[in-house]
Amino acid sequence: MRAIVVGAGIGGLAATLSLRRTGWDVTLVERTPHFTEVGAGIQLAPNATRVLRRLDVLDAVAAHAARPSHVSFRTWSDGAEICRYALGREAEEEFGAPYLLLHRADLHKALTAAVPPEAVHLNTTVVDITQDDDSAYVTTATGERLRADLVVAADGIRSAARQWLFGKDEAVFSGTAAYRALLPAEEVADLVLPPLAAWLGPDRHFVHYWVRRGELLNVVAVFSTEAVAQESWTARAEPGEQLSEFTGWDARVLKVLERAGQVFRYGIFTRPPLPRWNVGRVTLLGDSAHAMVPFQAQGAAQAILDAAVLGDALRNATPAEVPEALDHYACRRVSAATSMQARSAQAGRDFHLPDGPEAEARNTRMAAHAREHRFMPVATAWGTDALDRRTEG
């Protein structure tokens, strides 16, 4: 059984590992000439790290991670704590896997190291995907035509495969953009920051957490904007731009933003939900299927869950059974991923409520929930085992 995975991001790498574990011969094609992963921090909740353990990469990932004891939600103007939720050992004991904070490059490197080099075709741009009753075909920019029993399109938010399968469908600007930066720990040691925190304010929120075993502070400062912002991990902000966007915020927030050296600015885009991800022998996975705003820290996690279920659905499948197996994969994942898209969007709206009765009601609601529950509301998704076939829709 032969598969081609298009795209060597987190989802594509996880899909490659998942399929290989079930006995598939997998070719991973990637358009860049070298394995690279830009970006900065990433949060991996127990629903994702549980899968990484099954893929035998959790130890390699955890070796470079930070493990927060808790998450703190705070008000924008004075930093007063609204509520906090347990993470750390309590979450690992409850959900059977750790909550990790990472640099994206460290996660990408650990996944890459687990894929045999001979399975990877770098500097390979896919220009078309076609299929017939017996096989699927990937055509590259050099004219090469690769044949397989299955093609997995993990080609990201700007997925060409999505348009080939389902027609013209553009990524949608979310109305939010963000500044991001990484600061050495010694630059902010005097601020006594929580290990993971989200500061909530009108039309804005500010998130920070440690990565790379606590050596670096990852900062994401999100703001609402009507102007469509460039979707780029490498576009630099103008000097001091981030400070003007967060005027009047708590002094600790402003000090972090002031001390940030290299600051990047990027627009946050999503994809409209799809009722199905697969056609015949070809399926979408990860952001190509369900790109979401990052306000529940579940984007990468959902791609990793896709990969786990894909491998499970195709275990022991014959060539003739691939289309039906992909139906089962989509059946088990579409509803859950679409629900997380909606939850993430709602979280963004809640985080950005204006000062006054709405924000006060939100804070009261959050505090009341925290008194009754050790873990965040999104933690209801952490305990669900993606490989439990009872989750089939």
Side-chain angles (χ1 to χ4, degrees):
M1 297 292 288
R2 299 176 61 188
I4 298 171
V5 176
V6 181
I10 291 168
L13 287 164
T16 299
L17 294 175
S18 183
L19 288 168
R20 283 178 54 82
R21 284 179 61 82
T22 59
W24 281 71
D25 178 9
V26 185
T27 298
L28 175 62
V29 297
E30 166 59 36
R31 63 183 178 85
T32 60
H34 308 286
F35 273 130
T36 57
E37 179 58 56
V38 295
I42 189 170
Q43 301 182 46
L44 290 181
N47 55 346
T49 56
R50 189 181 302 115
V51 172
L52 296 183
R53 179 182 290 132
R54 288 177 174 142
L55 297 178
D56 294 328
V57 295
L58 180 58
D59 288 346
V61 170
H64 299 280
R67 297 177 181 240
S69 59
H70 65 278
V71 56
S72 174
F73 289 89
R74 295 173 175 249
T75 56
W76 69 279
S77 56
D78 60 4
E81 188 169 71
I82 300 168
C83 66
R84 67 169 59 187
Y85 291 102
L87 295 173
R89 182 177 299 175
E90 289 185 64
E92 185 165 4
E93 290 175 351
E94 177 73 18
F95 301 105
Y99 196 106
L100 302 179
L101 307 176
L102 292 136
H103 194 296
R104 291 183 71 95
D106 293 335
L107 173 59
H108 196 264
K109 184 177 180 180
L111 293 172
T112 300
V115 177
E118 63 271 16
V120 181
H121 291 198
L122 295 172
N123 203 23
T124 302
T125 300
V126 174
V127 296
D128 197 17
I129 297 174
T130 58
Q131 60 183 309
D132 56 32
D133 289 344
D134 300 317
S135 301
Y137 305 90
V138 166
T139 304
T140 72
T142 62
E144 185 179 12
R145 195 169 188 239
L146 308 175
R147 189 202 72 80
D149 300 294
L150 162 72
V151 172
V152 180
D155 53 343
I157 190 169
R158 299 289 181 180
S159 171
R162 177 167 169 143
Q163 297 205 28
W164 296 334
L165 289 177
F166 300 111
K168 189 173 177 60
D169 175 15
E170 300 294 339
V172 177
F173 180 56
S174 68
T176 56
Y179 300 104
R180 65 174 181 85
L182 287 167
L183 289 81
E186 57 268 22
E187 292 287 330
V188 292
D190 61 310
L191 301 182
V192 194
L193 298 170
L196 167 58
W199 308 58
L200 312 184
D203 293 323
R204 287 159 179 75
H205 72 279
F206 179 82
V207 177
H208 62 75
Y209 53 87
W210 301 107
V211 299
R212 202 159 281 171
R213 300 174 301 275
E215 297 170 9
L216 297 170
L217 184 72
N218 181 67
V219 174
V220 184
V222 181
F223 60 99
S224 299
T225 174
E226 294 182 2
V228 177
Q230 180 184 3
E231 182 204 352
S232 170
W233 284 106
T234 58
R236 295 192 181 186
E238 294 295 326
E241 179 184 344
Q242 72 278 10
L243 287 170
S244 63
E245 281 287 352
F246 285 79
T247 299
W249 279 55
D250 183 87
R252 285 165 291 181
V253 171
L254 294 178
K255 286 178 181 178
V256 170
L257 292 175
E258 184 179 9
R259 296 173 189 179
Q262 197 171 74
V263 179
F264 298 92
R265 183 184 194 271
Y266 66 97
I268 299 173
F269 286 72
T270 66
R271 280 288 201 169
L274 287 170
R276 60 178 299 158
W277 299 346
N278 59 300
V279 175
R281 298 176 174 276
V282 183
T283 190
L284 304 177
L285 181 143
D287 279 354
S288 67
H290 50 68
M292 62 189 69
V293 292
F295 307 143
Q296 293 282 265
Q298 276 286 306
Q302 293 300 306
I304 292 169
L305 297 181
D306 292 347
V309 174
L310 179 71
D312 186 57
L314 286 156
R315 187 187 303 273
N316 301 321
T318 66
E321 293 170 338
V322 167
E324 182 180 0
L326 290 181
D327 285 341
H328 286 293
Y329 153 69
C331 185
R332 292 163 62 183
R333 287 296 303 142
V334 170
S335 177
T338 300
S339 174
M340 189 57 70
Q341 280 183 297
R343 291 181 71 165
S344 298
Q346 183 59 51
R349 291 188 288 270
D350 288 344
F351 290 173
H352 290 193
L353 289 173
D355 278 344
E358 289 181 281
E360 291 169 7
R362 174 202 62 204
N363 295 351
T364 299
R365 188 168 59 248
M366 292 176 67
H369 186 275
R371 286 193 295 270
E372 297 293 327
H373 303 276
R374 287 186 297 164
F375 306 110
M376 290 184 284
V378 71
T380 55
W382 300 352
T384 301
D385 190 332
L387 300 188
D388 185 346
R389 291 175 180 265
R390 289 173 297 179
T391 63
E392 289 194 32

